[in-house]
């Protein structure tokens, strides 16, 4: 999954992959106070890396979920490379996400969303 994202107000923006019911693998590009990208399954952190991302600026995210391997790229740079030995989420749906981060308001712009099957 590739997409461009620009947070205008709020804190976190990103996507989720392999969603089944209320569970999935989330990727959050977190803003003010964090300035990182986070990979997680429900409440469990799977990976994190520094990724400054101010509101009002566009960023490109690429999420690869191939077998048990997850790779997350921010602006063309590999930030997270995680191997889920249990392969707990082998399939599922996709979603775009935005969070207020306690600010009580959120506005996020998405563009150029592309989803490809990886074999």
């Amino acid at each position: 999954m590739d997409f461009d994202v620009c947070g205008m107000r709020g804190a976190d923006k990103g996507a989720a992959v392999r969603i089944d019911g209320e569970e999935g693998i989330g990727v959050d590009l977190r803003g003010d106070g964090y300035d990182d990208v986070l990979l997680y399954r429900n409440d469990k952190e799977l990976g994190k890396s520094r990724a400054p991302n101010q509101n009002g600026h566009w960023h490109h995210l690429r999420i690869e979920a191939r077998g048990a391997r997850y790779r997350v790229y921010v602006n063309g740079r590999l930030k997270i490379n995680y191997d889920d030995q249990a392969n707990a989420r082998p399939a599922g749906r996709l979603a775009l996400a935005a969070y207020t981060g306690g600010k009580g308001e959120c506005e996020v712009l998405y563009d150029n969303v592309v989803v490809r099957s990886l074999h």
Side-chain angles (χ1 to χ4, degrees):
M1 175 179 207
D2 278 277
F3 59 94
D4 297 321
V5 61
C6 179
M8 300 303 289
R9 290 181 295 179
D12 303 350
K13 51 261 176 210
V17 298
R18 296 185 172 175
I19 301 167
D20 186 14
E22 295 185 16
E23 296 184 2
I25 303 293
V27 174
D28 287 347
L29 190 58
R30 302 189 307 172
D32 286 346
Y34 294 97
D35 290 312
D36 63 9
V37 62
L38 176 69
L39 177 74
Y40 60 95
R41 179 177 53 244
N42 304 327
D43 292 336
K44 181 181 178 190
E45 181 180 307
L46 304 176
K48 180 169 58 172
S49 180
R50 182 158 165 69
N53 62 92
Q54 296 173 289
N55 280 341
H57 292 89
W58 284 95
H59 302 280
H60 184 80
L61 264 67
R62 177 180 179 91
I63 303 165
E64 294 180 1
R66 185 185 310 240
R69 170 85 51 199
Y70 294 90
R71 289 189 176 108
V72 179
Y73 297 82
V74 178
N75 298 325
R77 293 190 171 162
L78 179 63
K79 293 292 186 171
I80 299 172
N81 187 10
Y82 177 75
D83 187 15
D84 181 9
Q85 295 295 321
N87 198 16
R89 305 277 347 132
R93 296 180 176 93
L94 304 169
L96 299 176
Y99 308 97
T100 64
K103 296 182 185 243
E105 58 182 25
C106 188
E107 181 181 357
V108 177
L109 307 174
Y110 290 90
D111 200 3
N112 305 312
V113 178
V114 177
V115 178
R116 291 184 194 91
S117 177
L118 299 176
H119 299 283

